[in-house]
Every structure is written in C-alpha cells, then in structure tokens.
Amino acid sequence: MSSSPGLVGTAATAPPRDASADGGGTAPATVGTSREQRVVALVDGWLEAVFDAVAQTRADTAALLARVAAEGRRPATADLAALRPGLHLRLTRDELVSGVGFVAAPGLLTDVPAWLEWWQSTADGGVRPLLLDLDPAQSAYSDYTHWDWFALPRDTGRRAVAGPYVDYLCSDEYSLTLSAPVAVAGRFAGVAAADVYLRHFEGAVLPLLRELPGPARLVNARGRVAASADPARLAGSLTKGTDFQAVLEGGRPVAAGGLRLVPCRRVPLVLVVDGH
C-alpha cells in the first residue's frame, strides 16, 4: 500500500464460480478472441486467489467487529489481535500474497484515530507486522483515506485493484493492492486488503500479453496500467478517454478507437488490445 502511483502465477486457472456481490460481474461465455479469452481467464484465476485471501480477512474482521458490538462497546486495537492467526496463515499459505490485513476507517477504534492491522511476508518465509506512526502531527501517512485501495471500496461498495504504485508505506516495492469493503450493521468499517508485487504479476502475465496479435495491456477501473506489453503504455501510467468502470459493469467486450476492450469476468481489470 502506498501514497503514490506481485504475483507468482501458475498455468492453472481458478475454477469458475458465480460472480460475487462484492464486485464480481456477469459476462457472456465468449469473450474476445480465443487468445484474449485465455489471457482474461488466467488473470481471473491468479487474482481471484488473492481476492480469496481478502474475502477471508473481510469475513473474519466483520465477525470480530460484530462480536464486539454485541458486547455493547466499540473496538480497540487490542481486539484486532484476534485476526492475526488468519493473517499469518494467508501469508504463509498463499505465495501470491506479500502483505495482508485490515485497515480501519478513521474513528472506528477507541484508542487510536487510525490503524492498520497489517502483516507482511519476509525473505526467509516468516511474517512480521507493519509498525507505523500514524500520528497526524508527525506522519505523512496518517490520512490513507484518499488512496485508491481505501477510497474505491468505500465509495463503491465493491472490491478493487489499486496501482501499480511504489509502496512507500509497506515495502518500497512496485505493487498492486487488492481490497474489499468491510461493513458492520450496514456501516463502512474499513477495508480488507492484500498486496502483490508487480514484478511477480508481470512475470506471470507479460508472456501472455506478448502472444496477442497487437500491443496489449491490463488496466484497472481508473485506467491505471497494471501490466503492459505495449512499449508506449508503461505499467503505472494512466489511460485516459475511456470509461473502464463502464466496461467492467457492462461485462462484455467493446471496440473503441481501434482498441478491443475485454473485461475480466471476476476481477476489476480490463484487457486492452490495439486492433490497428
């Protein structure tokens, strides 16, 4: 996660499932050309595995906050320690995930104004907590509410892929953050999220993008390029002039300005192929 603008893949895809209410959409069975279908299917499978870790964190957090509310009190940072066994398990079990946790909405907790219950993997296979100074008087990172990984789930109620960006907050790595909103009794409480390193994601998807007949890239709902085999469109750059959120919501390929736009079926990314 960061203030500025990885994924180890395998050849197998995740099994298809019904689109979820937290951001999945329906799509026709035929998506683009057969090679484009293969790309979006593989990307769906790889990132859906990361979103599964996000969903488990979201479920654990919502259940914890509901239990605290049933006790007639507001949560504190000490309560969030109960999430740690699950977070540690996801880090050691899911090789795609480099960081995972819950980011509280400001004012949720009684003892601090803001908090990240965030854990990261280490080079030797262990896990470590992210320890941040979130004092507004001293920290440039005290207000994380405007960053896409927090703002998109809060504002849309849907899961999101944010970045890539240099993750100054967590790892100093070029990263993607996948996140989903956490709500208790219908009220937004924060986001569950997971990080993947861009170098891992690119290592998996660039060979696929290079197999396509024209320059190709993957972009998120805001038009940020997540991976690119087009030398004119680098990862992290912004693609303007197209409503990619509308393409995702439409759930079907469209043509625009000589481009083919193919939405992934389950994750909020669009495959963009130059058809010229």
Side-chain angles (χ1 to χ4, degrees), residues 104-171:
L108 176 74
L109 304 175
T110 58
D111 54 336
V112 291
W115 187 258
L116 289 82
E117 184 61 42
W118 195 263
W119 290 75
Q120 299 170 287
S121 58
T122 62
D124 61 2
V127 300
R128 66 183 179 192
L130 177 67
L131 302 175
L132 291 174
D133 178 6
L134 294 177
D135 182 349
Q138 302 182 53
S139 174
Y141 303 114
S142 60
D143 181 12
Y144 43 69
T145 61
H146 61 286
W147 298 343
D148 278 356
W149 50 262
F150 190 92
L152 281 170
R154 177 197 62 200
D155 296 345
T156 67
R158 299 178 179 180
R159 59 190 191 172
V161 176
Y165 48 72
V166 178
D167 192 353
Y168 294 121
L169 185 60
C170 294
S171 64

Side-chain angles (χ1 to χ4, degrees), residues 125-225:
V127 300
R128 66 183 179 192
L130 177 67
L131 302 175
L132 291 174
D133 178 6
L134 294 177
D135 182 349
Q138 302 182 53
S139 174
Y141 303 114
S142 60
D143 181 12
Y144 43 69
T145 61
H146 61 286
W147 298 343
D148 278 356
W149 50 262
F150 190 92
L152 281 170
R154 177 197 62 200
D155 296 345
T156 67
R158 299 178 179 180
R159 59 190 191 172
V161 176
Y165 48 72
V166 178
D167 192 353
Y168 294 121
L169 185 60
C170 294
S171 64
D172 289 333
E173 286 263 5
Y174 217 33
S175 301
L176 299 170
T177 300
L178 284 64
S179 56
V182 177
V184 178
R187 297 185 61 182
F188 176 75
V191 301
D195 285 341
V196 296
Y197 292 145
L198 182 65
R199 56 188 167 88
H200 293 160
F201 183 66
E202 287 185 321
V205 303
L206 284 182
L208 300 174
L209 296 179
R210 290 174 180 143
E211 291 176 3
L212 297 175
R217 59 192 184 275
L218 288 160
V219 305
N220 68 13
R222 290 261 173 96
R224 186 76 61 187
V225 178

Side-chain angles (χ1 to χ4, degrees), residues 7-274:
L7 180 60
V8 179
T10 62
T13 62
R17 62 176 183 139
D18 292 336
S20 65
D22 64 349
T26 58
T30 301
V31 180
T33 68
S34 59
R35 279 185 288 185
E36 291 165 358
Q37 288 179 51
R38 178 170 179 264
V39 171
V40 297
L42 287 169
V43 172
D44 265 335
W46 292 329
L47 289 188
E48 196 64 35
V50 180
F51 270 125
D52 283 345
V54 173
Q56 292 162 16
T57 301
R58 183 172 78 160
D60 287 353
T61 306
L64 170 65
L65 296 177
R67 288 196 301 271
V68 171
E71 296 171 3
R73 61 183 181 89
R74 290 174 55 202
T77 52
D79 293 304
L80 299 183
L83 299 175
R84 293 173 187 174
L87 299 179
H88 297 175
L89 176 63
R90 275 153 230 149
L91 278 174
T92 57
R93 181 188 60 197
D94 300 320
E95 62 176 348
L96 313 182
V97 177
S98 60
V100 65
F102 169 67
V103 184
L108 176 74
L109 304 175
T110 58
D111 54 336
V112 291
W115 187 258
L116 289 82
E117 184 61 42
W118 195 263
W119 290 75
Q120 299 170 287
S121 58
T122 62
D124 61 2
V127 300
R128 66 183 179 192
L130 177 67
L131 302 175
L132 291 174
D133 178 6
L134 294 177
D135 182 349
Q138 302 182 53
S139 174
Y141 303 114
S142 60
D143 181 12
Y144 43 69
T145 61
H146 61 286
W147 298 343
D148 278 356
W149 50 262
F150 190 92
L152 281 170
R154 177 197 62 200
D155 296 345
T156 67
R158 299 178 179 180
R159 59 190 191 172
V161 176
Y165 48 72
V166 178
D167 192 353
Y168 294 121
L169 185 60
C170 294
S171 64
D172 289 333
E173 286 263 5
Y174 217 33
S175 301
L176 299 170
T177 300
L178 284 64
S179 56
V182 177
V184 178
R187 297 185 61 182
F188 176 75
V191 301
D195 285 341
V196 296
Y197 292 145
L198 182 65
R199 56 188 167 88
H200 293 160
F201 183 66
E202 287 185 321
V205 303
L206 284 182
L208 300 174
L209 296 179
R210 290 174 180 143
E211 291 176 3
L212 297 175
R217 59 192 184 275
L218 288 160
V219 305
N220 68 13
R222 290 261 173 96
R224 186 76 61 187
V225 178
S228 177
D230 181 351
R233 303 284 186 175
L234 300 179
S237 64
L238 193 62
T239 303
K240 299 181 179 180
T242 301
D243 188 345
F244 292 104
Q245 181 62 50
V247 175
L248 289 166
E249 291 174 355
R252 65 183 64 237
V254 298
L259 301 174
R260 290 195 304 281
L261 310 177
V262 184
C264 292
R265 295 186 63 186
R266 294 177 291 165
V267 301
L269 289 177
V270 177
L271 173 65
V272 180
V273 183
D274 191 334

